[in-house]
Amino acid sequence: MGAALVLALPGDCAAATAVTGELLPFDANSLAALRKSHAGKPFVLAFWSVYCEPCRDEMAEWDAVKRKHPALALELISTDAPADRALIDAFLKKYPPGPVRQWVFADAVSERVRYAVDKSWRGELPKSYFFDAAHRVEVKSGKVDRAWVDGWLPRQTPR
């Protein structure tokens, strides 16, 4: 059921769910659906967990990035199990990431979802994937570098 919901999200729906605080289910099919909904446009996937100390600080960084670049399609994905929903909600309340669309792994076996995103990803967090307009990806492990993002974004505008 979760995969059908994600695959059914049209591009217009992305903006509608961006600031609702709803946690959308992210599964092995979600990246393909996001690539389709962001066709021809850059976007960022940022993975985090309630158990990740640097992820706490990173939420303020993502908030600042999104406020400076409101058109940036930023998808924040919790790698925690669906059963950790109360912990996720408490984390997001304490460390609000700002007006971004939020997801949570829909599969309690996180390895299946991670493998679908990146076959070499072993679970280190935070982890971000920066997709350009052609969906070539630059992968960054560790806390987001706001200066790097500020430099990356202008290169994404079609000339």
Side-chain angles (χ1 to χ4, degrees):
M1 182 172 175
L5 173 65
V6 172
L7 293 172
L9 286 174
D12 299 339
C13 190
T17 60
V19 293
T20 63
E22 176 185 2
L23 285 174
L24 300 169
F26 192 91
D27 64 20
N29 299 310
S30 297
L31 178 55
L34 284 170
R35 283 178 181 262
K36 186 176 181 181
S37 73
H38 294 303
K41 299 175 189 160
F43 70 100
V44 177
L45 294 183
F47 294 90
W48 63 277
S49 169
V50 297
Y51 302 104
C52 165
E53 190 74 31
C55 296
R56 295 172 186 170
D57 296 333
E58 187 175 59
M59 289 300 166
E61 295 297 318
W62 284 126
D63 183 30
V65 164
K66 186 63 177 166
R67 290 183 192 285
K68 184 173 182 180
H69 307 283
L72 173 64
L74 173 59
E75 312 283 347
L76 289 183
I77 302 107
S78 168
T79 61
D80 301 297
D84 287 335
R85 178 60 192 253
L87 291 172
I88 296 166
D89 289 343
F91 181 98
L92 291 170
K93 186 174 181 179
K94 188 170 184 179
Y95 307 101
V100 298
R101 190 158 56 163
Q102 299 171 33
W103 303 76
V104 62
F105 274 16
D107 191 332
V109 181
S110 64
E111 291 81 4
R112 277 192 285 252
V113 183
R114 286 196 327 257
Y115 188 81
V117 172
D118 179 349
K119 291 171 181 44
S120 66
W121 182 20
R122 300 294 176 247
E124 65 276 9
L125 293 171
K127 184 113 173 166
S128 302
Y129 295 78
F130 293 82
F131 292 86
D132 68 11
H135 292 178
R136 292 175 299 246
V137 65
E138 291 188 55
V139 182
K140 300 289 182 186
S141 289
K143 199 170 97 173
V144 67
D145 178 347
R146 197 178 330 169
W148 184 89
V149 175
D150 288 344
W152 177 80
L153 275 169
R155 296 190 316 264
Q156 306 319 308
T157 1
R159 300 190 199 300

